[in-house]
Amino acid sequence: ADEIVREKPMLTKLFEVLGPRYQDREGGYTRVLKLSQNRKGDNAPMAVIEYVDRPGEVRAARPPPKRVLETLDDTLASVGIKSIRAE
């Protein structure tokens, strides 16, 4: 990764922030939202590209299935119900 990402702060962010955030996600790390108005001047269509599962995102992403099941298991365990999934 050091040969592709040449800036040290970006490399640090990749492994310390983004890596752990997306470790359960099998894909779909970004979202493209088309803007309603075209760019002035050449009337080109515009869009916003954003990472999903980040603070301040425009539209909240669905959590990966693994994370949903873990959260469900934790919630059930907190009220004394065992998981029905095979461990």
mmCIF file of all heavy atoms in Angstrom, residues 7-28:
data_model
loop_
_atom_site.group_PDB
_atom_site.id
_atom_site.type_symbol
_atom_site.label_atom_id
_atom_site.label_comp_id
_atom_site.label_asym_id
_atom_site.label_seq_id
_atom_site.Cartn_x
_atom_site.Cartn_y
_atom_site.Cartn_z
ATOM 1 N N GLU A 7 1.150 9.586 0.268
ATOM 2 C CA GLU A 7 1.123 10.549 1.373
ATOM 3 C C GLU A 7 0.956 9.810 2.697
ATOM 4 O O GLU A 7 0.023 9.041 2.876
ATOM 5 C CB GLU A 7 -0.014 11.541 1.170
ATOM 6 C CG GLU A 7 0.152 12.381 -0.086
ATOM 7 C CD GLU A 7 -1.006 13.342 -0.287
ATOM 8 O OE1 GLU A 7 -1.696 13.648 0.693
ATOM 9 O OE2 GLU A 7 -1.209 13.771 -1.426
ATOM 10 N N LYS A 8 1.858 10.040 3.616
ATOM 11 C CA LYS A 8 1.873 9.358 4.911
ATOM 12 C C LYS A 8 0.565 9.530 5.691
ATOM 13 O O LYS A 8 0.040 8.553 6.224
ATOM 14 C CB LYS A 8 3.072 9.848 5.718
ATOM 15 C CG LYS A 8 3.236 9.201 7.053
ATOM 16 C CD LYS A 8 3.779 7.809 6.941
ATOM 17 C CE LYS A 8 4.126 7.307 8.327
ATOM 18 N NZ LYS A 8 4.273 5.880 8.375
ATOM 19 N N PRO A 9 -0.019 10.749 5.784
ATOM 20 C CA PRO A 9 -1.280 10.893 6.529
ATOM 21 C C PRO A 9 -2.427 10.068 5.921
ATOM 22 O O PRO A 9 -3.265 9.530 6.645
ATOM 23 C CB PRO A 9 -1.590 12.388 6.458
ATOM 24 C CG PRO A 9 -0.293 13.045 6.171
ATOM 25 C CD PRO A 9 0.492 12.065 5.365
ATOM 26 N N MET A 10 -2.456 9.951 4.599
ATOM 27 C CA MET A 10 -3.516 9.176 3.949
ATOM 28 C C MET A 10 -3.334 7.681 4.208
ATOM 29 O O MET A 10 -4.298 6.944 4.393
ATOM 30 C CB MET A 10 -3.553 9.434 2.444
ATOM 31 C CG MET A 10 -3.912 10.856 2.056
ATOM 32 S SD MET A 10 -5.523 11.340 2.688
ATOM 33 C CE MET A 10 -5.050 12.598 3.844
ATOM 34 N N LEU A 11 -2.102 7.234 4.244
ATOM 35 C CA LEU A 11 -1.808 5.833 4.531
ATOM 36 C C LEU A 11 -2.222 5.488 5.960
ATOM 37 O O LEU A 11 -2.814 4.444 6.218
ATOM 38 C CB LEU A 11 -0.318 5.561 4.318
ATOM 39 C CG LEU A 11 0.119 4.116 4.308
ATOM 40 C CD1 LEU A 11 -0.532 3.370 3.149
ATOM 41 C CD2 LEU A 11 1.630 4.018 4.195
ATOM 42 N N THR A 12 -1.935 6.389 6.879
ATOM 43 C CA THR A 12 -2.331 6.201 8.274
ATOM 44 C C THR A 12 -3.848 6.145 8.393
ATOM 45 O O THR A 12 -4.389 5.266 9.074
ATOM 46 C CB THR A 12 -1.781 7.349 9.144
ATOM 47 O OG1 THR A 12 -0.358 7.381 8.997
ATOM 48 C CG2 THR A 12 -2.139 7.159 10.596
ATOM 49 N N LYS A 13 -4.536 7.052 7.718
ATOM 50 C CA LYS A 13 -6.000 7.055 7.767
ATOM 51 C C LYS A 13 -6.576 5.775 7.174
ATOM 52 O O LYS A 13 -7.548 5.217 7.694
ATOM 53 C CB LYS A 13 -6.558 8.268 7.021
ATOM 54 C CG LYS A 13 -8.067 8.361 7.102
ATOM 55 C CD LYS A 13 -8.588 9.630 6.455
ATOM 56 C CE LYS A 13 -10.095 9.717 6.613
ATOM 57 N NZ LYS A 13 -10.633 10.954 6.072
ATOM 58 N N LEU A 14 -5.972 5.285 6.105
ATOM 59 C CA LEU A 14 -6.443 4.064 5.458
ATOM 60 C C LEU A 14 -6.431 2.886 6.419
ATOM 61 O O LEU A 14 -7.409 2.143 6.519
ATOM 62 C CB LEU A 14 -5.579 3.760 4.233
ATOM 63 C CG LEU A 14 -5.888 2.477 3.471
ATOM 64 C CD1 LEU A 14 -7.280 2.555 2.851
ATOM 65 C CD2 LEU A 14 -4.841 2.239 2.397
ATOM 66 N N PHE A 15 -5.340 2.723 7.167
ATOM 67 C CA PHE A 15 -5.207 1.555 8.045
ATOM 68 C C PHE A 15 -5.762 1.752 9.441
ATOM 69 O O PHE A 15 -6.151 0.781 10.087
ATOM 70 C CB PHE A 15 -3.739 1.122 8.115
ATOM 71 C CG PHE A 15 -3.282 0.451 6.848
ATOM 72 C CD1 PHE A 15 -2.515 1.129 5.931
ATOM 73 C CD2 PHE A 15 -3.660 -0.845 6.568
ATOM 74 C CE1 PHE A 15 -2.105 0.524 4.753
ATOM 75 C CE2 PHE A 15 -3.262 -1.469 5.399
ATOM 76 C CZ PHE A 15 -2.486 -0.788 4.489
ATOM 77 N N GLU A 16 -5.829 2.986 9.936
ATOM 78 C CA GLU A 16 -6.291 3.211 11.310
ATOM 79 C C GLU A 16 -7.755 3.630 11.400
ATOM 80 O O GLU A 16 -8.384 3.413 12.433
ATOM 81 C CB GLU A 16 -5.403 4.244 12.002
ATOM 82 C CG GLU A 16 -3.992 3.746 12.222
ATOM 83 C CD GLU A 16 -3.107 4.753 12.935
ATOM 84 O OE1 GLU A 16 -3.626 5.812 13.376
ATOM 85 O OE2 GLU A 16 -1.901 4.485 13.034
ATOM 86 N N VAL A 17 -8.295 4.241 10.348
ATOM 87 C CA VAL A 17 -9.685 4.718 10.388
ATOM 88 C C VAL A 17 -10.568 3.908 9.439
ATOM 89 O O VAL A 17 -11.557 3.305 9.859
ATOM 90 C CB VAL A 17 -9.764 6.225 10.040
ATOM 91 C CG1 VAL A 17 -11.204 6.695 10.016
ATOM 92 C CG2 VAL A 17 -8.952 7.043 11.021
ATOM 93 N N LEU A 18 -10.220 3.912 8.165
ATOM 94 C CA LEU A 18 -11.086 3.275 7.162
ATOM 95 C C LEU A 18 -11.069 1.751 7.241
ATOM 96 O O LEU A 18 -12.101 1.111 7.088
ATOM 97 C CB LEU A 18 -10.691 3.741 5.762
ATOM 98 C CG LEU A 18 -10.830 5.241 5.512
ATOM 99 C CD1 LEU A 18 -10.346 5.597 4.120
ATOM 100 C CD2 LEU A 18 -12.257 5.697 5.714
ATOM 101 N N GLY A 19 -9.911 1.159 7.477
ATOM 102 C CA GLY A 19 -9.816 -0.299 7.563
ATOM 103 C C GLY A 19 -10.740 -0.887 8.616
ATOM 104 O O GLY A 19 -11.581 -1.746 8.313
ATOM 105 N N PRO A 20 -10.632 -0.446 9.870
ATOM 106 C CA PRO A 20 -11.525 -0.976 10.902
ATOM 107 C C PRO A 20 -13.009 -0.667 10.637
ATOM 108 O O PRO A 20 -13.877 -1.478 10.953
ATOM 109 C CB PRO A 20 -11.057 -0.276 12.178
ATOM 110 C CG PRO A 20 -9.641 0.089 11.913
ATOM 111 C CD PRO A 20 -9.568 0.394 10.445
ATOM 112 N N ARG A 21 -13.291 0.487 10.039
ATOM 113 C CA ARG A 21 -14.683 0.853 9.774
ATOM 114 C C ARG A 21 -15.344 -0.112 8.793
ATOM 115 O O ARG A 21 -16.521 -0.429 8.918
ATOM 116 C CB ARG A 21 -14.754 2.271 9.221
ATOM 117 C CG ARG A 21 -16.181 2.737 8.974
ATOM 118 C CD ARG A 21 -16.249 4.096 8.331
ATOM 119 N NE ARG A 21 -15.591 5.101 9.149
ATOM 120 C CZ ARG A 21 -15.271 6.307 8.713
ATOM 121 N NH1 ARG A 21 -15.527 6.670 7.472
ATOM 122 N NH2 ARG A 21 -14.681 7.182 9.499
ATOM 123 N N TYR A 22 -14.599 -0.590 7.822
ATOM 124 C CA TYR A 22 -15.173 -1.415 6.763
ATOM 125 C C TYR A 22 -14.778 -2.885 6.844
ATOM 126 O O TYR A 22 -14.986 -3.624 5.893
ATOM 127 C CB TYR A 22 -14.788 -0.844 5.396
ATOM 128 C CG TYR A 22 -15.340 0.542 5.198
ATOM 129 C CD1 TYR A 22 -14.500 1.632 5.097
ATOM 130 C CD2 TYR A 22 -16.708 0.759 5.131
ATOM 131 C CE1 TYR A 22 -15.016 2.914 4.926
ATOM 132 C CE2 TYR A 22 -17.227 2.029 4.969
ATOM 133 C CZ TYR A 22 -16.367 3.094 4.864
ATOM 134 O OH TYR A 22 -16.878 4.351 4.708
ATOM 135 N N GLN A 23 -14.249 -3.352 7.967
ATOM 136 C CA GLN A 23 -13.794 -4.731 8.060
ATOM 137 C C GLN A 23 -14.930 -5.743 7.925
ATOM 138 O O GLN A 23 -14.703 -6.854 7.441
ATOM 139 C CB GLN A 23 -13.023 -4.962 9.351
ATOM 140 C CG GLN A 23 -13.859 -4.896 10.610
ATOM 141 C CD GLN A 23 -13.004 -5.015 11.851
ATOM 142 O OE1 GLN A 23 -11.784 -5.069 11.776
ATOM 143 N NE2 GLN A 23 -13.642 -5.048 12.998
ATOM 144 N N ASP A 24 -16.145 -5.398 8.309
ATOM 145 C CA ASP A 24 -17.278 -6.321 8.197
ATOM 146 C C ASP A 24 -18.014 -6.187 6.873
ATOM 147 O O ASP A 24 -18.861 -7.007 6.557
ATOM 148 C CB ASP A 24 -18.284 -6.078 9.325
ATOM 149 C CG ASP A 24 -17.699 -6.390 10.686
ATOM 150 O OD1 ASP A 24 -16.765 -7.218 10.753
ATOM 151 O OD2 ASP A 24 -18.160 -5.808 11.678
ATOM 152 N N ARG A 25 -17.724 -5.169 6.117
ATOM 153 C CA ARG A 25 -18.451 -4.899 4.872
ATOM 154 C C ARG A 25 -17.772 -5.612 3.712
ATOM 155 O O ARG A 25 -16.587 -5.528 3.520
ATOM 156 C CB ARG A 25 -18.478 -3.385 4.629
ATOM 157 C CG ARG A 25 -19.371 -2.966 3.497
ATOM 158 C CD ARG A 25 -19.506 -1.458 3.453
ATOM 159 N NE ARG A 25 -20.449 -0.981 4.447
ATOM 160 C CZ ARG A 25 -21.769 -1.024 4.303
ATOM 161 N NH1 ARG A 25 -22.285 -1.524 3.225
ATOM 162 N NH2 ARG A 25 -22.545 -0.561 5.235
ATOM 163 N N GLU A 26 -18.573 -6.348 2.926
ATOM 164 C CA GLU A 26 -18.028 -7.134 1.811
ATOM 165 C C GLU A 26 -17.920 -6.325 0.520
ATOM 166 O O GLU A 26 -17.459 -6.830 -0.492
ATOM 167 C CB GLU A 26 -18.906 -8.357 1.576
ATOM 168 C CG GLU A 26 -18.885 -9.320 2.750
ATOM 169 C CD GLU A 26 -19.806 -10.491 2.557
ATOM 170 O OE1 GLU A 26 -20.440 -10.602 1.494
ATOM 171 O OE2 GLU A 26 -19.889 -11.301 3.479
ATOM 172 N N GLY A 27 -18.353 -5.123 0.512
ATOM 173 C CA GLY A 27 -18.299 -4.262 -0.665
ATOM 174 C C GLY A 27 -19.257 -3.108 -0.460
ATOM 175 O O GLY A 27 -19.887 -2.979 0.589
ATOM 176 N N GLY A 28 -19.397 -2.258 -1.449
ATOM 177 C CA GLY A 28 -20.311 -1.127 -1.331
ATOM 178 C C GLY A 28 -19.812 -0.081 -0.354
ATOM 179 O O GLY A 28 -20.546 0.355 0.529
#
